[in-house]
Amino acid sequence: MTFSIAVKCRETGMYGVAATTTSLGVGCRCLYAKANTGAVLTQHSTDPRRGTRGIEMLSHGKTAKEVIDELVTGDPTIGHRQLAVVDGEGNTAYFLG
């Protein structure tokens, strides 16, 4: 089981992310953040490409909801995944497969 959290400091634009997990090595595949951009959490059958792709979309000004919508579209394995996003404005969106 994995628990993760992402937060944004409105004063500095920095993001904090953390995870705790029972599976060794999984935590390093769950957390993605970029200052003044956003954070992406991916867990349960993680796919690290989703984290880097989500950060890239946030870098181009997409909202948290737009990132989630795009990450889940057209993926036959999405039912096995959990995603959360915090965007540059501090808005959040999530998907629970």
Side-chain angles (χ1 to χ4, degrees):
M1 182 166 295
T2 302
F3 295 95
S4 53
I5 186 169
V7 295
K8 177 187 179 183
C9 175
R10 292 198 185 270
E11 290 182 26
T12 65
M14 299 298 286
Y15 291 81
V17 292
T20 182
T21 183
T22 59
S23 299
L24 291 175
V26 170
C28 69
R29 298 168 45 104
C30 296
L31 310 173
Y32 302 84
K34 183 176 178 184
N36 298 307
T37 301
V40 178
L41 307 174
T42 174
Q43 61 188 53
H44 187 59
S45 297
T46 61
D47 179 349
R49 295 173 296 180
R50 295 191 189 297
T52 55
R53 187 167 159 225
I55 292 295
E56 181 180 333
M57 286 187 277
L58 290 169
S59 295
H60 289 96
K62 299 253 182 182
T63 67
K65 182 175 179 347
E66 290 171 331
V67 171
I68 289 291
D69 289 347
E70 197 166 323
L71 288 176
V72 303
T73 299
D75 180 0
T77 65
I78 197 63
H80 300 285
R81 305 188 194 286
Q82 297 171 338
L83 304 166
V85 177
V86 181
D87 65 25
E89 298 298 317
N91 299 309
T92 61
Y94 63 90
F95 174 83
L96 301 175

